[in-house]
Amino acid sequence: MSFDVTSTLPTGWREEIEKVARNDRITKHLVPPHSTSREGPEVKSLQIMTVRGHLMWDRLPWLIDLYRGYFRELYESATGRRIYPTEDRRYAVVMNVQEGGDRYECHVDTNPVEALLYVTDHPRGTGGELVVANDDRVQSVEDVDEDCSILYPVAGHIVFFDARRFPHYVRQLREPGLRMAVGMNYYTDECPETTRPQDLNEYLYGRP
């Protein structure tokens, strides 16, 4: 489900989020394999950039309020299903940042509802699209590309989805600039936060 939430965002929201993306992003390397990864065996490491959850909480409190309030209510009103914000600030709300030739890992999610708030526009032909497999058995980017659905990010739109079964990844940019998307995790009564795999945080954030 996709909603245009521009009218609920504060004046200057994009500039404020971009400032955080430029000042607080870190570069890290994901090293497959992992239970959530769907990268091919030839991929030994992937470089990604992110703004960690505790910084999102500190730098963008209005966004956290929307995550816990309006965005949650929007989903519940549309579906009739109750969802719960994540308690652990490390992964409740994070920002994924892409620049140059980087792409985001081909993977599946472990939480039942993922929300993506797009901060930048990436129309057809510019790269940065979200690519989702139509076959849940695929095990590589190449396999995903053979039969997939594609979502082109639109700034100010929020997308809710459940990708626990279907692998997905984000393609690299074809034009100069930043790609910024805020990822928000929600859970349900049937799939509570306690179901999150214990080793996933180590995979994403390293050993404590």
Side-chain angles (χ1 to χ4, degrees), residues 3 11 30 39 46 68 84 86 99 107 109 146 161 188:
F3 300 92
T11 301
L30 299 180
E39 291 289 341
L46 277 173
R68 296 175 63 86
Y84 301 94
T86 302
E99 189 173 28
H107 68 287
D109 295 339
E146 288 185 5
F161 59 93
T188 62

Side-chain angles (χ1 to χ4, degrees), residues 137-156:
R137 299 168 296 178
V138 299
Q139 294 289 330
S140 70
V141 165
E142 292 74 21
D143 291 343
V144 172
D145 286 342
E146 288 185 5
D147 182 15
C148 60
S149 299
I150 297 175
L151 180 64
Y152 299 97
V154 178

Side-chain angles (χ1 to χ4, degrees), residues 179-197:
R179 180 192 190 274
M180 294 171 284
V182 177
M184 295 168 273
N185 293 323
Y186 293 97
Y187 290 88
T188 62
D189 288 319
E190 298 78 16
C191 185
E193 189 175 347
T194 54
T195 62
R196 183 177 173 90

Side-chain angles (χ1 to χ4, degrees), residues 33-117:
H34 186 267
S35 61
T36 63
S37 179
R38 295 296 182 269
E39 291 289 341
E42 74 283 357
V43 177
K44 306 303 180 185
S45 177
L46 277 173
Q47 176 177 290
I48 65 171
M49 292 187 293
T50 186
V51 179
R52 290 185 167 174
H54 69 280
L55 288 175
M56 297 292 287
W57 217 274
D58 291 341
R59 304 285 195 268
L60 300 166
W62 57 265
L63 184 55
I64 303 303
D65 289 341
L66 288 169
Y67 160 68
R68 296 175 63 86
Y70 178 74
F71 293 161
R72 175 184 57 80
E73 294 162 3
L74 187 64
Y75 178 89
E76 291 179 341
S77 177
T79 65
R81 297 179 61 211
R82 187 172 183 179
I83 56 174
Y84 301 94
T86 302
E87 295 295 332
D88 193 323
R89 293 187 180 186
R90 287 178 298 174
Y91 53 84
V93 179
V94 298
M95 178 159 43
N96 294 321
V97 184
Q98 286 177 239
E99 189 173 28
D102 292 341
R103 65 171 175 85
Y104 197 79
E105 181 189 37
C106 186
H107 68 287
V108 293
D109 295 339
T110 62
N111 53 300
V113 179
E114 175 77 7
L116 290 176
L117 173 65

